[in-house]
Amino acid sequence: AAPAPGEELKMVLVVRQDLKMGAGKIASQCAHAATGLYADLLASNRVLLRQWEQFGQAKIVLTCKNQQEMNRIKETAEHRGSGWV
Amino acid sequence: AAPAPGEELKMVLVVRQDLKMGAGKIASQCAHAATGLYADLLASNRVLLRQWEQFGQAKIVLTCKNQQEMNRIKETAEHRGSGWV
């Protein structure tokens, strides 16, 4: 579902704690995910990308316990109409 | 200076240790820097961006002690013809 025009958008990066990555690995994976998402949106939904940029390109990093919890977060995001990559 | 065609390119993210950021803060700052650089290159040097993408969008996260050390890394990068944002 598309966000309403003027709605604030955030990029949410979810890190699995069970992968026990160090800070450098987490940072590079988040950078990878962020540029990947940027490239995807550039190709598929430029309106959404511009809207996100207008709100300061907000990014949040969350952690979750494991793949199962990540799947639940993903389902919730999709249910609420948030995008997920 | 432009890299040679076929030369492998890496995005290097340098994190200042003296800022004492937590892992989540480091990750979100690196994601922010990475998408910012992506957007800059898209506007200013698309050839370089494509070349980096062809080499798997390599990213490395390094740490440095403080602003002074970061400035030295920046100078070295510029001296060697690497880009710096």
Side-chain angles (χ1 to χ4, degrees):
Chain A
E7 188 180 351
E8 190 174 350
L9 295 177
K10 295 190 180 105
M11 180 187 294
V12 182
L13 301 160
V14 186
V15 178
R16 277 174 54 191
Q17 294 171 323
D18 63 322
L19 298 177
K20 298 187 187 307
M21 299 182 285
K25 179 74 173 168
I26 290 172
S28 63
Q29 289 294 321
C30 283
H32 193 66
T35 55
L37 182 55
Y38 193 99
D40 280 356
L41 288 177
L42 198 70
S44 69
N45 198 336
R46 205 169 286 207
V47 172
L48 195 70
L49 185 65
R50 292 293 164 250
Q51 193 173 337
W52 171 68
E53 287 181 327
Q54 278 168 14
F55 282 101
Q57 312 186 22
K59 292 173 199 75
I60 297 178
V61 179
L62 303 180
T63 60
C64 69
K65 265 193 269 185
N66 48 35
Q67 177 74 56
Q68 204 174 12
E69 197 183 10
M70 183 168 272
N71 290 343
R72 277 201 299 274
I73 294 171
K74 178 182 176 179
E75 281 163 24
T76 307
E78 286 171 343
H79 186 68
R80 292 174 54 190
S82 309
W84 181 276
V85 178
Chain B
E7 189 181 351
E8 191 174 349
L9 295 177
K10 295 190 180 105
M11 180 188 293
V12 182
L13 301 161
V14 186
V15 179
R16 276 174 56 189
Q17 294 172 323
D18 63 322
L19 297 177
K20 297 187 188 306
M21 298 182 285
K25 179 74 175 168
I26 291 173
S28 63
Q29 288 294 322
C30 284
H32 193 66
T35 54
L37 182 55
Y38 192 100
D40 281 356
L41 287 177
L42 198 70
S44 69
N45 198 336
R46 205 168 286 207
V47 172
L48 196 70
L49 185 65
R50 293 291 165 250
Q51 192 173 337
W52 170 68
E53 288 181 327
Q54 277 167 16
F55 282 101
Q57 312 188 20
K59 294 173 199 73
I60 296 178
V61 179
L62 303 180
T63 60
C64 69
K65 266 193 268 184
N66 49 34
Q67 178 75 55
Q68 203 174 11
E69 198 183 9
M70 183 168 272
N71 289 344
R72 278 200 298 273
I73 295 170
K74 179 182 175 179
E75 281 164 23
T76 307
E78 286 171 343
H79 186 69
R80 293 174 54 190
S82 309
W84 181 275
V85 176

